[in-house]
Amino acid sequence: MHTLTAYIEGIGLLGPGLTDWPTSQAVLSGRQPYQPHKTVLPSPALLPAAERRRSGAVVKLTLATGLEAIAAAGLDAASLPSVFASSGGDGENCHAICEMLASDDRQISPTRFHNSAHNAAAGYWSIATGAMTTSSVLSAFDASFGAGLLEALTQVVVDNTRAVLLACDTAYPEPLYSARPIPDAFGIALVLAPQRSAQALAQITVNLTDASADQLDDVALESMRLAIPAARGLPLLRGIARRQDKHLVLDYLDSTRLAVAITLC
């Protein structure tokens, strides 16, 4: 694999005890203790009323993190290609459809059906932001954050364009939770650019490695990193929050991980 290099211009973050990127930096850097609490998903205000009523957790999560990252970068969401990465989509919606199929009345609502598609969040994103740019939607189970990061970086490097990565996962209720124990909603968004600009926060360079992935010092944060696939990106955010040039390793595949170098701008 060739080395992939880009610049991070904006970050969005939402998860248990992490309400946004500005207030979470002190926690991730170790300057403040982590206080876990359930993720609160904001209403997707940019969507028209009908779509807002139909939207599920994945839509709310990606809109919240994506718009935060893009606003921080000072860009127009409609102009950016997007990469969506999720290990399994909307857990609540999947649960509801399974309940319907297991009942005597197996009529699935059209809203449930169209929200079950893995690219549903990308469709709602286009409606909310007016974006008519390319959108990639992928899933790689527990490797989804790493796969999304590689896809977004590849587009930035090859097409010489900015792109936004939106990585997220949402909780599954029982009985699905027993098979796929994702405890809560979590999302990271990154605006990536091919060249350094005034907005650039850090340069990021990625290679493949077989070295062990970095772990987090805080027990609760490390538990979240392991439990929610999208949270595999937390060591990257921790490196930026500490405001130091850093070499780290992110989880990806069983025997292949991502070697990441961060150089602050």
Side-chain angles (χ1 to χ4, degrees), residues 133-192:
T133 48
T134 59
S135 183
S136 303
V137 184
L138 59 88
S139 177
F141 199 59
D142 286 346
S144 293
F145 178 83
L149 181 61
L150 289 177
E151 174 65 24
L153 286 170
T154 300
Q155 289 191 22
V156 169
V157 171
V158 173
D159 297 335
N160 193 35
T161 183
R162 287 183 171 91
V164 57
L165 167 66
L166 304 104
C168 75
D169 283 295
T170 61
Y172 286 91
E174 290 288 6
L176 293 175
Y177 179 84
S178 295
R180 186 63 170 150
I182 297 177
D184 205 346
F186 182 96
I188 293 174
L190 300 174
V191 174
L192 300 166

Side-chain angles (χ1 to χ4, degrees), residues 104-127:
D104 293 333
D105 180 9
R106 303 178 69 185
Q107 299 296 315
I108 298 175
S109 77
T111 296
R112 289 290 184 194
F113 179 76
H114 85 242
N115 279 341
S116 70
H118 198 63
N119 64 351
Y124 282 100
W125 176 265
S126 178
I127 294 169

Side-chain angles (χ1 to χ4, degrees), residues 37-161:
H37 59 73
K38 187 172 178 59
T39 302
V40 178
L41 298 174
S43 175
L46 284 187
L47 284 172
E51 282 72 21
R52 195 159 56 243
R53 287 193 299 272
R54 298 186 187 111
S55 63
V58 171
V59 174
K60 295 173 183 176
L61 185 55
T62 51
L63 277 170
T65 57
L67 293 175
E68 180 192 356
I70 292 169
L75 299 172
D76 177 10
S79 68
L80 293 177
S82 53
V83 175
F84 291 79
S86 175
S87 72
D90 192 328
E92 288 283 353
N93 193 63
C94 180
H95 169 76
I97 289 175
C98 288
E99 279 194 325
M100 293 175 192
L101 292 174
S103 69
D104 293 333
D105 180 9
R106 303 178 69 185
Q107 299 296 315
I108 298 175
S109 77
T111 296
R112 289 290 184 194
F113 179 76
H114 85 242
N115 279 341
S116 70
H118 198 63
N119 64 351
Y124 282 100
W125 176 265
S126 178
I127 294 169
T129 64
M132 299 182 69
T133 48
T134 59
S135 183
S136 303
V137 184
L138 59 88
S139 177
F141 199 59
D142 286 346
S144 293
F145 178 83
L149 181 61
L150 289 177
E151 174 65 24
L153 286 170
T154 300
Q155 289 191 22
V156 169
V157 171
V158 173
D159 297 335
N160 193 35
T161 183

Side-chain angles (χ1 to χ4, degrees), residues 8 11 21 28 145 149 165 188 190 192 202-206 214 216 231-242 246 248-250 260-262:
I8 298 174
I11 299 173
W21 171 241
L28 294 176
F145 178 83
L149 181 61
L165 167 66
I188 293 174
L190 300 174
L192 300 166
Q203 182 191 68
I204 177 174
T205 300
V206 176
D214 282 29
L216 299 172
R232 304 292 200 275
L234 278 175
L236 170 62
L237 299 192
R238 179 185 62 175
I240 298 173
R242 288 181 171 175
K246 179 77 174 174
L248 55 93
V249 178
L250 299 179
V260 179
I262 302 169

